[in-house]
Amino acid sequence: MTKTLTRLLLLPLLGLLSLGASANFSFLKQEPQVLPVDQAYLFDFRQQDNALQLTWTMAGDQYYLYQDKFVLKVEVDGSAELGPIQYPSPVIHTDEFFGDQPVYFNDVTLTIPVLEAQGEAAVTVTYQGCLDKVLCYPPTKQTVYLSAVAANDGLLTTAAPAPAAPQTQQDGLAALLAGDGLLLPLVTFFGLGILLAFTPCVFPMYPILTGIIAGQGKKLSTGKAFALSMTYVQGMALTYSLLGLVVASAGVKYQAALQSPAVLIGLAILFVVLSLSMFGLYNLQLPSSLQGKLANAQNQQKGGSFIGVFVMGLISGLVASPCTTAPLSGALIYVAQSGDLVLGGLALYALSMGMGLPLLLLGTSGGKLLPKAGAWMEAIKHVFGFLLIAVSIMMLDRLWPGTIMDVIWALWGVALAGYLLHQNKKTAFSWMQTVRNVVVVLGLFASVSYGFHAVMNRGETLASAQHAVQFIKVKTVQDLEREVAKAGAEGKTVMLDLYADWCVACKEFEHKTFPQPQVTARTDKMVLLQADVTANDAQDIELLESYQVLGLPTLLFFTPEGEELNQLRVTGFMGPNPFADHLDAVLAQ
């Protein structure tokens, strides 16, 4: 029985792997995409006084350039003299035909001293690279025209190096997945999932699962509690993993669509309906005729329970979907860059299972800790009914944050406190009854106070918002380009904040990071733009797809010349201090 159950619970993961290997799903192919050479190696150059910098940015982590294939040649239509190429440190790559070769992955910048340049001197650079284990490109040439440089000794001005951009956590995790090992990345993502289990995004799943366990009746063994909890966690993990792969493959618009008003309201209604079963208004089960047939197939278990719990797990995966955390972003970045959906899917699955571990422990313990008989069993079920209503309020809070939702939360707290006081009066008089009364009354006053202050401080909140970080609102790609050009005319760097009401981490940025002094001291030197993509309309989708945004929150940075600093893009939440360091790196560009 145990082996059979284990196999059944592993079916979602095996299905995910089989999908990833299937050739019938074009977006799940793992083979690296072979690009034209000019797209595989994006070329750029910059001349500053007598220093010429040539930069190549690779399209993926499997592309590389040979160090010894760079050749410079001065064309005859101008007079110029160049010094020796200054190479950055290469990595040694074992080539199937040439043995160990010094190469560059990801990006490389060569610096060349210009000893002298007259007129329209042109320099041709030849380079060659390969797509690892797929093909090698023929030697390719690019031509650069030099600005005039008076005769000099070729010594480059020693400038203080720009501070290196701190590697964001999501980029570090993407690099970890790109490494050679498999066990360490999966263990890392599993551990990070455990940490995420205690975040606001996962919290709604606790009352959902405990409500399911409480609804199983008085005779619930530890074994069945474990089986039900594992079934629920598997459903949640499957939804979370597949949704992540879809977002990485097709864009954030699908993530946003799942947070549309229709979906959120639908989920809120669903959890209210489920809460009614906790209050005893109906029993959530299949018709007796079908229940009898399934009972034999499920070894006399309650008809449809495992199927229903698995479906609830699938639906609950949507609850955590708007939270673009650094681990999720790291997996999405890796999938988007490499196309390896099998490893990306395994990382997302490991992350989901880490998130589900506390849920699994809670659900399993429910078989022992929940009362097995008596009035308290019904009281516990009613409390879980209140918690399911709280999940509904959380769904609606993504649509209508503010005073109204604060008042609704206060009313929910008052109702729960009133119910607990009523139940406590039915218990025998003792010092424990008194303690419970005191605790519940304090909760009642806290709820009333919360609602009162939400109403009374509404004007103060609006006033303080006027003194918060001020953004220029943009809606379309054209709006963004216009504001970036305007900022460029003033010689200023631009930060674009991509925001949505359903994005929990976006609000963390708004309240915890942006207002801090060490951050405002740097953002005051920038032009701050914000695009609210909550509506997920055609203009929002066009903007997100134009910049290949994988999830929210995402912050984009543009130089005064209008170029996006793609390597300094932020995806996922950052605290005030690391974000201030990140802004230093942006301003140094």
Side-chain angles (χ1 to χ4, degrees):
M1 177 64 182
T2 303
K3 291 183 178 179
T4 302
L5 180 59
T6 302
R7 291 172 183 169
L8 288 174
L9 296 179
L10 287 177
L11 281 177
L13 177 58
L14 295 176
L16 177 61
L17 293 174
S18 64
L19 279 175
S22 173
N24 295 326
F25 293 84
S26 60
F27 81 101
L28 293 174
K29 291 181 179 179
Q30 303 173 54
E31 296 82 1
Q33 184 179 7
V34 179
L35 298 172
V37 65
D38 58 338
Q39 296 180 25
Y41 307 101
L42 299 178
F43 175 74
D44 195 10
F45 73 95
R46 178 184 181 188
Q47 181 182 353
Q48 185 172 4
D49 298 327
N50 69 326
L52 174 63
Q53 291 184 330
L54 307 178
T55 300
W56 288 265
T57 303
M58 286 64 145
D61 55 11
Q62 292 179 300
Y63 291 89
Y64 59 86
L65 289 171
Y66 291 105
Q67 185 189 57
D68 60 0
K69 301 298 182 183
F70 290 108
V71 178
L72 296 176
K73 180 182 178 181
V74 179
E75 298 292 342
V76 297
D77 58 346
S79 175
E81 184 180 358
L82 304 178
I85 300 175
Q86 298 180 5
Y87 295 98
S89 299
V91 297
I92 301 301
H93 176 69
T94 302
D95 192 288
E96 182 178 358
F97 301 102
F98 302 110
D100 292 344
Q101 293 287 323
V103 301
Y104 298 103
F105 285 92
N106 298 320
D107 59 75
V108 59
T109 298
L110 308 182
T111 303
I112 302 99
V114 182
L115 303 178
E116 185 177 5
Q118 299 177 3
E120 292 296 324
V123 175
T124 298
V125 57
T126 303
Y127 57 95
Q128 185 178 11
C130 296
L131 176 55
D132 194 21
K133 298 179 182 179
V134 179
L135 61 81
C136 285
Y137 293 93
T140 307
K141 296 182 179 181
Q142 292 282 358
T143 299
V144 173
Y145 291 92
L146 301 177
S147 302
V149 175
N152 63 82
D153 54 12
L155 297 178
L156 301 179
T157 302
T158 302
Q167 186 182 47
T168 57
Q169 185 181 1
Q170 61 266 17
D171 289 332
L173 292 170
L176 179 65
L177 284 173
D180 295 331
L182 178 62
L183 180 61
L184 179 60
L186 296 185
V187 171
T188 301
F189 273 81
F190 181 80
L192 291 170
I194 295 176
L195 297 178
L196 292 179
F198 302 98
T199 62
C201 291
V202 184
F203 174 75
M205 296 185 190
Y206 290 96
I208 297 173
L209 177 59
T210 49
I212 292 172
I213 297 298
Q216 293 302 307
K218 301 176 182 179
K219 297 180 180 180
L220 178 65
S221 66
T222 301
K224 186 176 180 182
F226 172 80
L228 288 170
S229 302
M230 178 62 81
T231 303
Y232 175 85
V233 170
Q234 290 295 318
M236 179 271 292
L238 182 61
T239 295
Y240 196 74
S241 302
L242 290 179
L243 180 61
L245 295 180
V246 170
V247 170
S249 303
V252 73
K253 62 181 179 181
Y254 291 95
Q255 181 194 25
L258 290 172
Q259 302 304 316
S260 64
V263 173
L264 291 176
I265 292 173
L267 287 174
I269 293 174
L270 171 64
F271 290 123
V272 168
V273 171
L274 290 173
S275 73
L276 297 180
S277 71
M278 295 291 101
F279 293 119
L281 271 68
Y282 67 93
N283 290 322
L284 188 61
Q285 60 184 22
L286 294 176
S288 57
S289 58
L290 183 58
Q291 190 178 137
K293 295 179 182 178
L294 289 176
N296 295 328
Q298 296 191 20
N299 196 20
Q300 302 302 318
Q301 298 285 357
K302 183 179 178 180
S305 60
F306 284 104
I307 296 176
V309 169
F310 183 75
V311 172
M312 279 305 302
L314 292 174
I315 295 173
S316 298
L318 302 177
V319 174
S321 64
C323 297
T324 306
T325 59
L328 175 60
S329 301
L332 297 185
I333 291 170
Y334 171 78
V335 172
Q337 291 179 348
S338 68
D340 187 353
L341 274 86
V342 171
L343 181 54
L346 285 173
L348 289 168
Y349 180 81
L351 181 71
S352 304
M353 288 304 297
M355 293 164 57
L357 180 61
L359 291 167
L360 184 62
L361 296 175
L362 176 66
T364 303
S365 66
K368 278 187 174 181
L369 300 181
L370 290 178
K372 298 300 189 293
W376 270 110
M377 183 62 194
E378 290 302 312
I380 291 294
K381 288 179 63 175
H382 294 164
V383 170
F384 288 141
F386 278 102
L387 293 179
L388 288 174
I389 292 176
V391 176
S392 298
I393 299 175
M394 289 179 186
M395 298 294 101
L396 298 178
D397 202 6
R398 297 175 187 171
L399 292 177
W400 304 297
T403 305
I404 294 178
M405 296 309 303
D406 288 340
V407 171
I408 292 176
W409 276 116
L411 293 175
W412 175 86
V414 169
L416 176 60
Y419 171 79
L420 293 176
L421 284 174
H422 176 72
Q423 291 297 320
N424 197 40
K425 286 183 178 180
K426 298 180 181 180
T427 62
F429 179 77
S430 65
W431 68 271
M432 281 299 297
Q433 184 196 51
T434 303
V435 170
R436 288 194 296 265
N437 270 328
V438 171
V439 172
V440 174
V441 169
L442 289 176
L444 177 63
F445 280 120
S447 299
V448 173
S449 176
Y450 181 82
F452 178 78
H453 281 86
V455 174
M456 298 303 296
N457 294 342
R458 182 172 182 270
E460 181 180 338
T461 302
L462 293 175
S464 63
Q466 296 176 356
H467 298 284
V469 177
Q470 296 297 308
F471 290 90
I472 300 173
K473 304 296 182 180
V474 295
K475 178 67 176 176
T476 65
V477 175
Q478 293 73 25
D479 292 342
L480 174 60
E481 292 174 347
R482 182 183 64 252
E483 294 297 335
V484 169
K486 188 186 299 183
E490 300 174 359
K492 289 189 175 182
T493 301
V494 173
M495 183 182 82
L496 171 65
D497 173 32
L498 293 165
Y499 169 90
D501 288 338
W502 47 262
C503 168
V504 177
C506 295
K507 296 176 182 179
E508 287 185 302
F509 256 123
E510 183 179 1
H511 296 290
K512 297 180 180 179
T513 299
F514 291 152
Q516 299 306 315
Q518 63 269 44
V519 174
T520 57
R522 291 154 175 85
T523 55
D524 285 345
K525 303 173 184 177
M526 301 177 173
V527 173
L528 305 182
L529 308 179
Q530 187 179 71
D532 187 341
V533 296
T534 303
N536 191 37
D537 56 25
Q539 292 176 325
D540 295 338
I541 294 173
E542 180 186 6
L543 178 62
L544 295 172
E545 291 185 342
S546 296
Y547 291 93
Q548 298 178 337
V549 176
L550 296 175
L552 298 183
T554 292
L555 303 177
L556 308 183
F557 300 94
F558 299 85
T559 66
E561 292 74 30
E563 298 178 0
E564 186 204 345
L565 297 171
N566 192 57
Q567 75 279 11
L568 292 174
R569 177 182 295 199
V570 172
T571 304
F573 176 72
M574 289 181 72
N577 291 329
F579 188 63
D581 294 338
H582 195 86
L583 293 179
D584 285 336
V586 171
L587 292 169
Q589 300 298 311

